[in-house]
mmCIF file of all heavy atoms in Angstrom:
data_model
loop_
_atom_site.group_PDB
_atom_site.id
_atom_site.type_symbol
_atom_site.label_atom_id
_atom_site.label_comp_id
_atom_site.label_asym_id
_atom_site.label_seq_id
_atom_site.Cartn_x
_atom_site.Cartn_y
_atom_site.Cartn_z
ATOM 1 N N SER Q 486 -13.036 -88.743 -1.808
ATOM 2 C CA SER Q 486 -13.493 -89.979 -2.433
ATOM 3 C C SER Q 486 -14.133 -89.699 -3.795
ATOM 4 O O SER Q 486 -15.019 -88.847 -3.929
ATOM 5 C CB SER Q 486 -14.503 -90.686 -1.522
ATOM 6 O OG SER Q 486 -14.954 -91.881 -2.124
ATOM 7 N N SER Q 487 -13.644 -90.390 -4.796
ATOM 8 C CA SER Q 487 -14.230 -90.335 -6.139
ATOM 9 C C SER Q 487 -13.760 -91.580 -6.879
ATOM 10 O O SER Q 487 -12.785 -92.234 -6.485
ATOM 11 C CB SER Q 487 -13.798 -89.072 -6.896
ATOM 12 O OG SER Q 487 -12.427 -89.150 -7.245
ATOM 13 N N LYS Q 488 -14.433 -91.927 -7.955
ATOM 14 C CA LYS Q 488 -14.058 -93.095 -8.732
ATOM 15 C C LYS Q 488 -12.635 -92.961 -9.261
ATOM 16 O O LYS Q 488 -11.837 -93.915 -9.221
ATOM 17 C CB LYS Q 488 -15.035 -93.284 -9.898
ATOM 18 C CG LYS Q 488 -14.716 -94.496 -10.778
ATOM 19 C CD LYS Q 488 -15.714 -94.623 -11.919
ATOM 20 C CE LYS Q 488 -15.355 -95.812 -12.807
ATOM 21 N NZ LYS Q 488 -16.302 -95.944 -13.949
ATOM 22 N N ILE Q 489 -12.298 -91.762 -9.729
ATOM 23 C CA ILE Q 489 -10.959 -91.555 -10.296
ATOM 24 C C ILE Q 489 -9.887 -91.638 -9.218
ATOM 25 O O ILE Q 489 -8.829 -92.252 -9.417
ATOM 26 C CB ILE Q 489 -10.894 -90.200 -11.036
ATOM 27 C CG1 ILE Q 489 -11.747 -90.277 -12.302
ATOM 28 C CG2 ILE Q 489 -9.453 -89.840 -11.396
ATOM 29 C CD1 ILE Q 489 -11.792 -89.004 -13.109
ATOM 30 N N MET Q 490 -10.143 -91.046 -8.042
ATOM 31 C CA MET Q 490 -9.162 -91.123 -6.962
ATOM 32 C C MET Q 490 -8.992 -92.550 -6.476
ATOM 33 O O MET Q 490 -7.888 -92.964 -6.106
ATOM 34 C CB MET Q 490 -9.552 -90.206 -5.808
ATOM 35 C CG MET Q 490 -9.051 -88.773 -5.928
ATOM 36 S SD MET Q 490 -7.254 -88.639 -6.235
ATOM 37 C CE MET Q 490 -6.570 -89.507 -4.824
ATOM 38 N N ASP Q 491 -10.065 -93.326 -6.498
ATOM 39 C CA ASP Q 491 -9.958 -94.747 -6.136
ATOM 40 C C ASP Q 491 -9.038 -95.472 -7.121
ATOM 41 O O ASP Q 491 -8.219 -96.312 -6.730
ATOM 42 C CB ASP Q 491 -11.346 -95.407 -6.125
ATOM 43 C CG ASP Q 491 -12.199 -94.943 -4.953
ATOM 44 O OD1 ASP Q 491 -11.639 -94.359 -4.002
ATOM 45 O OD2 ASP Q 491 -13.432 -95.147 -5.007
ATOM 46 N N GLU Q 492 -9.167 -95.145 -8.417
ATOM 47 C CA GLU Q 492 -8.293 -95.737 -9.429
ATOM 48 C C GLU Q 492 -6.832 -95.334 -9.209
ATOM 49 O O GLU Q 492 -5.920 -96.148 -9.333
ATOM 50 C CB GLU Q 492 -8.742 -95.302 -10.825
ATOM 51 C CG GLU Q 492 -10.100 -95.857 -11.254
ATOM 52 C CD GLU Q 492 -10.561 -95.274 -12.579
ATOM 53 O OE1 GLU Q 492 -9.858 -94.385 -13.126
ATOM 54 O OE2 GLU Q 492 -11.623 -95.698 -13.077
ATOM 55 N N VAL Q 493 -6.634 -94.057 -8.880
ATOM 56 C CA VAL Q 493 -5.275 -93.563 -8.626
ATOM 57 C C VAL Q 493 -4.651 -94.297 -7.444
ATOM 58 O O VAL Q 493 -3.512 -94.776 -7.515
ATOM 59 C CB VAL Q 493 -5.290 -92.040 -8.358
ATOM 60 C CG1 VAL Q 493 -3.923 -91.569 -7.864
ATOM 61 C CG2 VAL Q 493 -5.683 -91.278 -9.616
ATOM 62 N N ASN Q 494 -5.394 -94.398 -6.352
ATOM 63 C CA ASN Q 494 -4.877 -95.076 -5.157
ATOM 64 C C ASN Q 494 -4.573 -96.541 -5.438
ATOM 65 O O ASN Q 494 -3.565 -97.079 -4.943
ATOM 66 C CB ASN Q 494 -5.876 -94.946 -4.012
ATOM 67 C CG ASN Q 494 -5.982 -93.516 -3.497
ATOM 68 O OD1 ASN Q 494 -5.011 -92.761 -3.528
ATOM 69 N ND2 ASN Q 494 -7.156 -93.133 -3.026
ATOM 70 N N SER Q 495 -5.401 -97.199 -6.236
ATOM 71 C CA SER Q 495 -5.154 -98.601 -6.596
ATOM 72 C C SER Q 495 -3.889 -98.735 -7.430
ATOM 73 O O SER Q 495 -3.097 -99.667 -7.241
ATOM 74 C CB SER Q 495 -6.352 -99.171 -7.360
ATOM 75 O OG SER Q 495 -7.506 -99.209 -6.545
ATOM 76 N N SER Q 496 -3.684 -97.794 -8.364
ATOM 77 C CA SER Q 496 -2.498 -97.837 -9.227
ATOM 78 C C SER Q 496 -1.215 -97.624 -8.432
ATOM 79 O O SER Q 496 -0.153 -98.127 -8.801
ATOM 80 C CB SER Q 496 -2.598 -96.769 -10.326
ATOM 81 O OG SER Q 496 -3.674 -97.039 -11.197
ATOM 82 N N LEU Q 497 -1.314 -96.883 -7.343
ATOM 83 C CA LEU Q 497 -0.125 -96.582 -6.544
ATOM 84 C C LEU Q 497 0.299 -97.747 -5.656
ATOM 85 O O LEU Q 497 1.449 -97.807 -5.217
ATOM 86 C CB LEU Q 497 -0.380 -95.341 -5.679
ATOM 87 C CG LEU Q 497 -0.342 -94.003 -6.429
ATOM 88 C CD1 LEU Q 497 -0.890 -92.886 -5.551
ATOM 89 C CD2 LEU Q 497 1.063 -93.681 -6.893
ATOM 90 N N VAL Q 498 -0.620 -98.670 -5.413
ATOM 91 C CA VAL Q 498 -0.294 -99.824 -4.573
ATOM 92 C C VAL Q 498 0.721 -100.704 -5.311
ATOM 93 O O VAL Q 498 0.472 -101.194 -6.402
ATOM 94 C CB VAL Q 498 -1.556 -100.640 -4.230
ATOM 95 C CG1 VAL Q 498 -1.156 -101.909 -3.461
ATOM 96 C CG2 VAL Q 498 -2.536 -99.801 -3.420
ATOM 97 N N GLY Q 499 1.889 -100.878 -4.712
ATOM 98 C CA GLY Q 499 2.929 -101.690 -5.325
ATOM 99 C C GLY Q 499 3.585 -101.047 -6.525
ATOM 100 O O GLY Q 499 4.316 -101.700 -7.266
ATOM 101 N N SER Q 500 3.336 -99.761 -6.716
ATOM 102 C CA SER Q 500 3.875 -99.055 -7.880
ATOM 103 C C SER Q 500 5.339 -98.676 -7.677
ATOM 104 O O SER Q 500 5.817 -98.520 -6.548
ATOM 105 C CB SER Q 500 3.047 -97.792 -8.148
ATOM 106 O OG SER Q 500 3.656 -96.977 -9.111
ATOM 107 N N TYR Q 501 6.047 -98.508 -8.796
ATOM 108 C CA TYR Q 501 7.423 -97.998 -8.788
ATOM 109 C C TYR Q 501 7.459 -96.571 -8.236
ATOM 110 O O TYR Q 501 8.429 -96.159 -7.600
ATOM 111 C CB TYR Q 501 7.972 -98.035 -10.219
ATOM 112 C CG TYR Q 501 9.149 -97.130 -10.483
ATOM 113 C CD1 TYR Q 501 10.456 -97.550 -10.222
ATOM 114 C CD2 TYR Q 501 8.955 -95.845 -11.004
ATOM 115 C CE1 TYR Q 501 11.533 -96.718 -10.468
ATOM 116 C CE2 TYR Q 501 10.033 -95.006 -11.249
ATOM 117 C CZ TYR Q 501 11.323 -95.444 -10.983
ATOM 118 O OH TYR Q 501 12.384 -94.615 -11.229
ATOM 119 N N THR Q 502 6.387 -95.832 -8.442
ATOM 120 C CA THR Q 502 6.320 -94.422 -8.076
ATOM 121 C C THR Q 502 6.251 -94.242 -6.562
ATOM 122 O O THR Q 502 5.468 -94.908 -5.874
ATOM 123 C CB THR Q 502 5.090 -93.760 -8.714
ATOM 124 O OG1 THR Q 502 5.141 -93.938 -10.126
ATOM 125 C CG2 THR Q 502 5.050 -92.268 -8.397
ATOM 126 N N GLU Q 503 7.059 -93.317 -6.052
ATOM 127 C CA GLU Q 503 6.993 -93.003 -4.623
ATOM 128 C C GLU Q 503 5.911 -91.964 -4.384
ATOM 129 O O GLU Q 503 5.942 -90.869 -4.944
ATOM 130 C CB GLU Q 503 8.341 -92.462 -4.130
ATOM 131 C CG GLU Q 503 8.345 -92.180 -2.632
ATOM 132 C CD GLU Q 503 9.710 -91.779 -2.096
ATOM 133 O OE1 GLU Q 503 10.709 -91.987 -2.810
ATOM 134 O OE2 GLU Q 503 9.762 -91.238 -0.966
ATOM 135 N N ASN Q 504 4.950 -92.317 -3.565
ATOM 136 C CA ASN Q 504 3.802 -91.449 -3.284
ATOM 137 C C ASN Q 504 4.108 -90.594 -2.060
ATOM 138 O O ASN Q 504 4.271 -91.107 -0.952
ATOM 139 C CB ASN Q 504 2.563 -92.313 -3.041
ATOM 140 C CG ASN Q 504 1.330 -91.472 -2.821
ATOM 141 O OD1 ASN Q 504 1.287 -90.299 -3.165
ATOM 142 N ND2 ASN Q 504 0.304 -92.080 -2.233
ATOM 143 N N ILE Q 505 4.201 -89.285 -2.257
ATOM 144 C CA ILE Q 505 4.519 -88.370 -1.167
ATOM 145 C C ILE Q 505 3.265 -87.573 -0.815
ATOM 146 O O ILE Q 505 2.774 -86.786 -1.620
ATOM 147 C CB ILE Q 505 5.666 -87.421 -1.551
ATOM 148 C CG1 ILE Q 505 6.929 -88.243 -1.857
ATOM 149 C CG2 ILE Q 505 5.928 -86.407 -0.436
ATOM 150 C CD1 ILE Q 505 8.095 -87.419 -2.349
ATOM 151 N N ILE Q 506 2.738 -87.831 0.374
ATOM 152 C CA ILE Q 506 1.568 -87.108 0.872
ATOM 153 C C ILE Q 506 2.076 -85.942 1.716
ATOM 154 O O ILE Q 506 2.771 -86.140 2.711
ATOM 155 C CB ILE Q 506 0.659 -88.018 1.710
ATOM 156 C CG1 ILE Q 506 0.222 -89.239 0.888
ATOM 157 C CG2 ILE Q 506 -0.541 -87.245 2.220
ATOM 158 C CD1 ILE Q 506 -0.592 -88.883 -0.340
ATOM 159 N N LEU Q 507 1.720 -84.741 1.318
ATOM 160 C CA LEU Q 507 2.282 -83.560 1.957
ATOM 161 C C LEU Q 507 1.584 -83.229 3.269
ATOM 162 O O LEU Q 507 0.388 -82.928 3.289
ATOM 163 C CB LEU Q 507 2.192 -82.347 1.019
ATOM 164 C CG LEU Q 507 3.305 -82.259 -0.016
ATOM 165 C CD1 LEU Q 507 2.977 -83.128 -1.221
ATOM 166 C CD2 LEU Q 507 3.547 -80.837 -0.444
ATOM 167 N N THR Q 508 2.336 -83.291 4.347
ATOM 168 C CA THR Q 508 1.870 -82.832 5.651
ATOM 169 C C THR Q 508 2.632 -81.579 6.068
ATOM 170 O O THR Q 508 2.289 -80.931 7.052
ATOM 171 C CB THR Q 508 2.061 -83.923 6.709
ATOM 172 O OG1 THR Q 508 3.441 -84.309 6.740
ATOM 173 C CG2 THR Q 508 1.210 -85.149 6.367
ATOM 174 N N SER Q 509 3.688 -81.269 5.333
ATOM 175 C CA SER Q 509 4.474 -80.052 5.569
ATOM 176 C C SER Q 509 5.120 -79.657 4.244
ATOM 177 O O SER Q 509 4.967 -80.354 3.236
ATOM 178 C CB SER Q 509 5.544 -80.296 6.641
ATOM 179 O OG SER Q 509 6.432 -81.326 6.225
ATOM 180 N N ASN Q 510 5.840 -78.561 4.251
ATOM 181 C CA ASN Q 510 6.464 -78.092 3.018
ATOM 182 C C ASN Q 510 7.471 -79.101 2.491
ATOM 183 O O ASN Q 510 8.214 -79.725 3.257
ATOM 184 C CB ASN Q 510 7.174 -76.754 3.259
ATOM 185 C CG ASN Q 510 6.227 -75.658 3.685
ATOM 186 O OD1 ASN Q 510 5.013 -75.843 3.678
ATOM 187 N ND2 ASN Q 510 6.769 -74.514 4.039
ATOM 188 N N GLU Q 511 7.500 -79.270 1.163
ATOM 189 C CA GLU Q 511 8.480 -80.127 0.507
ATOM 190 C C GLU Q 511 9.331 -79.268 -0.429
ATOM 191 O O GLU Q 511 8.856 -78.272 -0.986
ATOM 192 C CB GLU Q 511 7.778 -81.218 -0.299
ATOM 193 C CG GLU Q 511 7.153 -82.315 0.535
ATOM 194 C CD GLU Q 511 8.178 -83.315 1.059
ATOM 195 O OE1 GLU Q 511 9.286 -83.397 0.477
ATOM 196 O OE2 GLU Q 511 7.860 -84.020 2.034
ATOM 197 N N VAL Q 512 10.592 -79.663 -0.600
ATOM 198 C CA VAL Q 512 11.509 -78.906 -1.447
ATOM 199 C C VAL Q 512 12.116 -79.821 -2.499
ATOM 200 O O VAL Q 512 12.586 -80.920 -2.193
ATOM 201 C CB VAL Q 512 12.641 -78.258 -0.617
ATOM 202 C CG1 VAL Q 512 13.590 -77.468 -1.530
ATOM 203 C CG2 VAL Q 512 12.075 -77.354 0.459
ATOM 204 N N ILE Q 513 12.086 -79.378 -3.751
ATOM 205 C CA ILE Q 513 12.759 -80.059 -4.853
ATOM 206 C C ILE Q 513 13.864 -79.126 -5.338
ATOM 207 O O ILE Q 513 13.610 -77.958 -5.648
ATOM 208 C CB ILE Q 513 11.805 -80.368 -6.015
ATOM 209 C CG1 ILE Q 513 10.668 -81.283 -5.558
ATOM 210 C CG2 ILE Q 513 12.547 -80.988 -7.185
ATOM 211 C CD1 ILE Q 513 9.573 -81.478 -6.608
ATOM 212 N N THR Q 514 15.096 -79.621 -5.384
ATOM 213 C CA THR Q 514 16.227 -78.812 -5.836
ATOM 214 C C THR Q 514 16.812 -79.406 -7.104
ATOM 215 O O THR Q 514 17.216 -80.574 -7.125
ATOM 216 C CB THR Q 514 17.311 -78.719 -4.749
ATOM 217 O OG1 THR Q 514 16.748 -78.183 -3.552
ATOM 218 C CG2 THR Q 514 18.451 -77.808 -5.207
ATOM 219 N N LEU Q 515 16.850 -78.605 -8.155
ATOM 220 C CA LEU Q 515 17.420 -79.014 -9.433
ATOM 221 C C LEU Q 515 18.426 -77.951 -9.859
ATOM 222 O O LEU Q 515 18.067 -76.921 -10.407
ATOM 223 C CB LEU Q 515 16.321 -79.169 -10.498
ATOM 224 C CG LEU Q 515 15.195 -80.157 -10.180
ATOM 225 C CD1 LEU Q 515 14.085 -80.035 -11.216
ATOM 226 C CD2 LEU Q 515 15.732 -81.584 -10.136
ATOM 227 N N ASP Q 516 19.709 -78.198 -9.551
ATOM 228 C CA ASP Q 516 20.763 -77.213 -9.800
ATOM 229 C C ASP Q 516 20.399 -75.899 -9.118
ATOM 230 O O ASP Q 516 20.212 -75.873 -7.912
ATOM 231 C CB ASP Q 516 20.988 -77.028 -11.300
ATOM 232 C CG ASP Q 516 21.557 -78.290 -11.954
ATOM 233 O OD1 ASP Q 516 22.188 -79.084 -11.233
ATOM 234 O OD2 ASP Q 516 21.360 -78.482 -13.157
ATOM 235 N N ASP Q 517 20.244 -74.808 -9.898
ATOM 236 C CA ASP Q 517 19.960 -73.506 -9.293
ATOM 237 C C ASP Q 517 18.464 -73.231 -9.183
ATOM 238 O O ASP Q 517 18.058 -72.139 -8.800
ATOM 239 C CB ASP Q 517 20.628 -72.385 -10.087
ATOM 240 C CG ASP Q 517 20.217 -72.386 -11.558
ATOM 241 O OD1 ASP Q 517 19.716 -73.424 -12.028
ATOM 242 O OD2 ASP Q 517 20.414 -71.355 -12.229
ATOM 243 N N LEU Q 518 17.647 -74.214 -9.510
ATOM 244 C CA LEU Q 518 16.193 -74.072 -9.392
ATOM 245 C C LEU Q 518 15.717 -74.737 -8.104
ATOM 246 O O LEU Q 518 15.994 -75.908 -7.862
ATOM 247 C CB LEU Q 518 15.487 -74.713 -10.589
ATOM 248 C CG LEU Q 518 13.954 -74.795 -10.513
ATOM 249 C CD1 LEU Q 518 13.339 -73.398 -10.526
ATOM 250 C CD2 LEU Q 518 13.395 -75.635 -11.648
ATOM 251 N N THR Q 519 15.005 -73.960 -7.293
ATOM 252 C CA THR Q 519 14.419 -74.495 -6.061
ATOM 253 C C THR Q 519 12.901 -74.426 -6.176
ATOM 254 O O THR Q 519 12.344 -73.385 -6.511
ATOM 255 C CB THR Q 519 14.883 -73.689 -4.831
ATOM 256 O OG1 THR Q 519 16.299 -73.769 -4.718
ATOM 257 C CG2 THR Q 519 14.252 -74.246 -3.555
ATOM 258 N N ILE Q 520 12.248 -75.556 -5.907
ATOM 259 C CA ILE Q 520 10.792 -75.617 -5.951
ATOM 260 C C ILE Q 520 10.281 -75.967 -4.563
ATOM 261 O O ILE Q 520 10.591 -77.033 -4.025
ATOM 262 C CB ILE Q 520 10.304 -76.659 -6.978
ATOM 263 C CG1 ILE Q 520 10.800 -76.291 -8.378
ATOM 264 C CG2 ILE Q 520 8.784 -76.760 -6.952
ATOM 265 C CD1 ILE Q 520 10.471 -77.306 -9.430
ATOM 266 N N ASN Q 521 9.536 -75.045 -3.977
ATOM 267 C CA ASN Q 521 8.916 -75.273 -2.681
ATOM 268 C C ASN Q 521 7.441 -75.604 -2.904
ATOM 269 O O ASN Q 521 6.755 -74.908 -3.651
ATOM 270 C CB ASN Q 521 9.039 -74.035 -1.791
ATOM 271 C CG ASN Q 521 10.486 -73.717 -1.447
ATOM 272 O OD1 ASN Q 521 11.211 -74.567 -0.942
ATOM 273 N ND2 ASN Q 521 10.911 -72.485 -1.719
ATOM 274 N N ILE Q 522 6.981 -76.659 -2.273
ATOM 275 C CA ILE Q 522 5.584 -77.065 -2.400
ATOM 276 C C ILE Q 522 4.922 -76.907 -1.038
ATOM 277 O O ILE Q 522 5.310 -77.554 -0.066
ATOM 278 C CB ILE Q 522 5.461 -78.521 -2.879
ATOM 279 C CG1 ILE Q 522 6.319 -78.759 -4.125
ATOM 280 C CG2 ILE Q 522 4.004 -78.867 -3.175
ATOM 281 C CD1 ILE Q 522 6.366 -80.201 -4.567
ATOM 282 N N TYR Q 523 3.917 -76.018 -0.987
ATOM 283 C CA TYR Q 523 3.220 -75.744 0.258
ATOM 284 C C TYR Q 523 1.887 -76.488 0.265
ATOM 285 O O TYR Q 523 1.075 -76.329 -0.643
ATOM 286 C CB TYR Q 523 2.959 -74.248 0.416
ATOM 287 C CG TYR Q 523 4.208 -73.405 0.423
ATOM 288 C CD1 TYR Q 523 4.642 -72.758 -0.738
ATOM 289 C CD2 TYR Q 523 4.963 -73.250 1.588
ATOM 290 C CE1 TYR Q 523 5.794 -71.983 -0.743
ATOM 291 C CE2 TYR Q 523 6.111 -72.476 1.597
ATOM 292 C CZ TYR Q 523 6.529 -71.838 0.425
ATOM 293 O OH TYR Q 523 7.661 -71.068 0.432
ATOM 294 N N PRO Q 524 1.621 -77.296 1.298
ATOM 295 C CA PRO Q 524 0.333 -77.999 1.375
ATOM 296 C C PRO Q 524 -0.778 -77.058 1.827
ATOM 297 O O PRO Q 524 -0.525 -75.906 2.183
ATOM 298 C CB PRO Q 524 0.602 -79.067 2.436
ATOM 299 C CG PRO Q 524 1.636 -78.453 3.327
ATOM 300 C CD PRO Q 524 2.501 -77.604 2.427
ATOM 301 N N TYR Q 525 -2.003 -77.574 1.804
ATOM 302 C CA TYR Q 525 -3.125 -76.742 2.233
ATOM 303 C C TYR Q 525 -3.055 -76.529 3.742
ATOM 304 O O TYR Q 525 -2.394 -77.277 4.460
ATOM 305 C CB TYR Q 525 -4.455 -77.378 1.836
ATOM 306 C CG TYR Q 525 -4.954 -78.459 2.784
ATOM 307 C CD1 TYR Q 525 -5.969 -78.183 3.693
ATOM 308 C CD2 TYR Q 525 -4.417 -79.745 2.756
ATOM 309 C CE1 TYR Q 525 -6.438 -79.158 4.549
ATOM 310 C CE2 TYR Q 525 -4.876 -80.718 3.611
ATOM 311 C CZ TYR Q 525 -5.877 -80.429 4.516
ATOM 312 O OH TYR Q 525 -6.324 -81.390 5.358
ATOM 313 N N MET Q 526 -3.723 -75.514 4.225
ATOM 314 C CA MET Q 526 -3.715 -75.200 5.650
ATOM 315 C C MET Q 526 -4.712 -76.085 6.401
ATOM 316 O O MET Q 526 -5.768 -76.412 5.881
ATOM 317 C CB MET Q 526 -4.037 -73.718 5.859
ATOM 318 C CG MET Q 526 -2.976 -72.803 5.254
ATOM 319 S SD MET Q 526 -3.399 -71.044 5.392
ATOM 320 C CE MET Q 526 -4.651 -70.923 4.115
#
């Protein structure tokens, strides 16, 4: 909780942007580039 995070969460409501909350590893693939995103433990 913080003022800035409250602003971020408000901006995401009804936003075009898809909000992905990481509960497990996520993978972004761009041609031959693979990006793995590991969440906190």
Side-chain angles (χ1 to χ4, degrees):
S486 180
S487 70
K488 180 180 178 181
I489 291 179
M490 272 308 302
D491 289 344
E492 293 174 356
V493 170
N494 291 329
S495 296
S496 295
L497 284 168
V498 175
S500 170
Y501 160 86
T502 303
E503 183 174 345
N504 183 18
I505 299 176
I506 303 298
L507 278 83
T508 57
S509 60
N510 298 353
E511 287 283 339
V512 180
I513 299 172
T514 303
L515 302 171
D516 294 335
D517 56 341
L518 173 66
T519 299
I520 300 175
N521 295 306
I522 309 174
Y523 300 98
Y525 82 103
M526 296 176 285

